[in-house]
Amino acid sequence: MQWFKNKRKQIAKALPENSALILGSLPEYFRQPDVPFPYRQDSDFYYLTGYTEPHCLFILKKGQSRSSSCSILCVLEKDSIKELWDGERYGPKKAKDIFLMDKADSINNLDEVLKKNLKGISTIFYNSINPQFDKKVRKMKLKIKSARDFLAPFRRIKDETEIDFIKQAVKVSVYAHKKVAQALKSGINERTLHGVFLKSIMEKGSVREGYHSIVASGSNAITLHYTKNNSLCKKGELLLLDAGGEMNHYTADITRVYPVSGRFSKTQKILYEKLLSLQKNLIKEVRPHTSLKDLNKKMIEGITHLLLEMNILKGPFKEHLKKKSSLTYCPHSVGHLLGMDVHDPPFSRSEESVLQPGMVLTIEPGLYISKKDLRAPKSLLGTGLRIEDDVLVTEKGPLVLTKSAPKEVEEVEELCCS
Ligand code: GLY
Ligand code: MN
Ligand code: MN
């Protein structure tokens, strides 16, 4: 819990005088009045508290002097009947002691807590994600700024502990990717493979996947956020697996492409190797001061070259760049920051998107050829490819955290046949 306390100290330092940061926990969603969906704490909330129960609110108050900060956590009260059904709660006393807060109170006393603790405060940095608290907070009639925007620059830079958590998430995810590749065969349902992934990450200590896994065989891989995961894998097709497990609230985000029959066809191999070569070149560009915008530009140029080499596009390179022809075949960007959320706090403006040491980002060029494409060879229609690694920005150059996930053609084929 000391780690969270240190983070609070760092954030308190950055808060302006006479301001407060107010975070509501993510609301619980119910399928039926007594049947909640699985709960996961809001990432900003967890980042500063470590608290995983729902229906609570956190205040970090900054007074007039540099050192005068105060942390207050309002939580669910102890309730023996509720706890009998839903499990033990910390309650305010334990919440204060275990989570090293300056103060804790019952969430039922929120009105009084706000009134008492926001005296003299002029601005609040607030996330209004929980409508249950909104009325009470807004009633205070203080100037409101976005807590998400305030915290994003801190969350974008990972310290050693966070990098270690991402490495743990990568480790379980690579293990699970390998299990899926080994289970892959003609006739197996994508959903069964999704099950293999979930079983494998959980076997290694992960509580959940960090985002809904994309288990997409054949032309399903063209749907960028395909989540139905319910088709049979067919001989000769490729399986695109975009899946990452979560460890300590940090996630991996890995995409690999596996041939259903264990071997890439000749044309699949040519296309895959070209994309892989581009992906490796893009990774080499990951260093401090490079911007995501530049990386994106390089990806677009690379994809355009590739499409010309494959004779899918014809004509002058520059004209295709001007026409943005590559967008038809790769409509997404080169990658995104990664951490507690799979799309970790994004840069607010593209001109600010400059990489710094401690950032972790994905590099994930893809190629998606529609079944109706008029320019590509017939054998590639309905093909979706993406290769995605998680890369730590360091002064010494890119550190590929996911390097243990096979991606060379020979390695992938060997894995699928093992
Ligand atoms: N898994 C979602 C993404 O790669 O952005
Ligand atoms: Mn990604
Ligand atoms: Mn992904």
Side-chain angles (χ1 to χ4, degrees):
M1 295 303 156
Q2 189 58 46
W3 185 86
F4 297 101
K5 192 173 173 178
N6 292 344
K7 279 281 167 226
R8 291 197 290 272
K9 218 168 149 186
Q10 187 191 2
I11 300 299
K13 242 188 192 170
L15 278 173
E17 283 177 9
N18 299 324
S19 72
L21 178 78
I22 302 182
L23 303 176
S25 60
L26 206 65
E28 267 187 299
Y29 296 101
F30 289 85
R31 179 173 168 157
Q32 288 177 266
D34 56 347
V35 182
F37 285 105
Y39 186 73
R40 183 197 184 267
Q41 188 55 276
D42 169 65
S43 294
D44 282 339
F45 196 98
Y46 184 80
Y47 185 68
L48 290 184
T49 63
Y51 208 70
T52 52
E53 287 181 17
H55 208 62
C56 40
L57 184 129
F58 170 69
I59 305 171
L60 184 61
K61 185 170 75 159
K62 172 82 170 271
Q64 238 161 357
S65 76
R66 279 192 72 208
S67 54
S68 66
S69 71
C70 180
S71 56
I72 306 139
L73 191 56
C74 294
V75 301
L76 286 168
E77 270 175 16
K78 298 286 289 175
D79 180 327
S80 55
I81 307 282
K82 287 260 164 47
E83 289 181 61
L84 179 70
W85 287 92
D86 302 330
E88 206 181 325
R89 295 174 176 177
Y90 287 106
K93 167 135 188 28
K94 273 197 181 167
K96 176 180 179 300
D97 296 344
I98 296 176
F99 294 86
L100 309 177
M101 295 287 160
D102 296 317
K103 296 185 202 170
D105 209 322
S106 160
I107 194 71
N108 296 342
N109 300 335
L110 186 57
D111 275 325
E112 295 95 274
V113 171
L114 289 172
K115 224 161 129 192
K116 203 163 123 194
N117 288 287
L118 296 184
K119 232 181 245 155
I121 295 295
S122 50
T123 305
I124 54 171
F125 296 87
Y126 173 57
N127 74 353
S128 58
I129 52 173
N130 196 326
Q132 289 160 316
F133 308 131
D134 234 31
K135 233 169 133 185
K136 292 180 192 290
V137 174
R138 290 183 190 276
K139 209 170 72 185
M140 305 298 297
K141 300 234 179 306
L142 299 168
K143 187 172 173 197
I144 296 180
K145 290 188 174 175
S146 159
R148 233 181 242 315
D149 291 350
F150 182 76
L151 291 174
F154 299 93
R155 279 192 44 203
R156 283 186 202 122
I157 310 286
K158 272 72 186 176
D159 66 21
E160 270 178 33
T161 304
E162 294 175 285
I163 291 164
D164 184 51
F165 289 163
I166 296 175
K167 282 182 179 167
Q168 288 178 35
V170 163
K171 197 170 170 191
V172 302
S173 306
V174 172
Y175 170 80
H177 258 260
K178 287 181 177 170
K179 289 287 176 192
V180 172
Q182 286 165 337
L184 178 60
K185 58 183 179 189
S186 164
I188 197 165
N189 193 295
E190 293 163 352
R191 188 161 292 162
T192 309
L193 296 171
H194 191 182
V196 171
F197 185 82
L198 291 174
K199 173 185 179 287
S200 307
I201 57 166
M202 288 182 180
E203 216 172 84
K204 294 290 174 191
S206 173
V207 179
R208 57 180 92 82
E209 52 191 0
Y211 53 95
H212 200 301
S213 298
I214 299 167
V215 190
S217 62
S219 61
N220 293 334
I222 292 168
T223 305
L224 298 176
H225 286 167
Y226 173 76
T227 48
K228 278 189 191 152
N229 299 351
N230 191 26
S231 292
L232 296 181
C233 301
K234 294 184 206 76
K235 201 173 140 199
E237 285 180 346
L238 299 173
L239 178 86
L240 183 151
L241 177 65
D242 182 346
E246 192 181 283
M247 290 291 270
N248 302 300
H249 285 71
Y250 285 77
T251 189
D253 182 12
I254 307 174
T255 307
R256 290 291 184 264
V257 175
Y258 304 111
V260 173
S261 339
R263 303 244 177 262
F264 289 91
S265 74
K266 210 170 139 196
T267 22
Q268 284 168 348
K269 184 174 161 180
I270 293 170
L271 195 66
Y272 179 89
E273 287 196 314
K274 285 187 188 296
L275 185 68
L276 180 59
S277 158
L278 169 62
Q279 198 244 9
K280 289 198 241 175
N281 285 335
L282 290 169
I283 289 176
K284 282 188 204 148
E285 302 289 331
V286 173
R287 59 178 98 89
H289 312 303
T290 300
S291 73
L292 260 186
K293 206 173 155 198
D294 287 344
L295 283 174
N296 225 13
K297 193 165 159 259
K298 288 202 165 100
M299 180 182 81
I300 290 170
E301 288 169 1
I303 297 276
T304 309
H305 268 305
L306 187 162
L307 291 164
L308 284 166
E309 279 170 19
M310 293 294 292
N311 276 323
I312 296 175
L313 293 181
K314 291 183 180 74
F317 172 71
K318 281 202 172 142
E319 234 162 73
H320 284 297
L321 277 189
K322 216 162 128 194
K323 283 197 290 188
K324 301 189 173 151
S325 308
S326 70
L327 279 181
T328 308
Y329 298 92
C330 181
H332 60 72
S333 69
V334 67
H336 50 83
L337 298 181
L338 178 74
M340 299 181 79
D341 293 313
V342 65
H343 298 158
D344 225 35
F347 293 104
S348 35
R349 292 210 307 267
S350 66
E351 59 270 30
E352 287 168 3
S353 67
V354 175
L355 300 181
Q356 293 174 52
M359 287 183 174
V360 176
L361 81 157
T362 66
I363 294 292
E364 50 177 307
L367 257 184
Y368 313 90
I369 304 173
S370 147
K371 282 198 266 191
K372 294 182 191 145
D373 191 273
L374 299 172
R375 301 181 274 204
K378 230 177 165 180
S379 60
L380 288 176
L381 297 186
T383 301
L385 299 178
R386 180 162 66 253
I387 307 168
E388 177 173 30
D389 280 303
D390 305 341
V391 185
L392 172 66
V393 184
T394 81
E395 293 287 3
K396 289 184 199 145
L399 189 72
V400 183
L401 302 176
T402 41
K403 62 174 182 287
S404 57
K407 64 178 177 181
E408 298 297 333
V409 165
E410 302 72 30
E411 290 173 344
V412 170
E413 290 185 342
E414 196 185 318
L415 173 66
C416 291
C417 295
S418 65

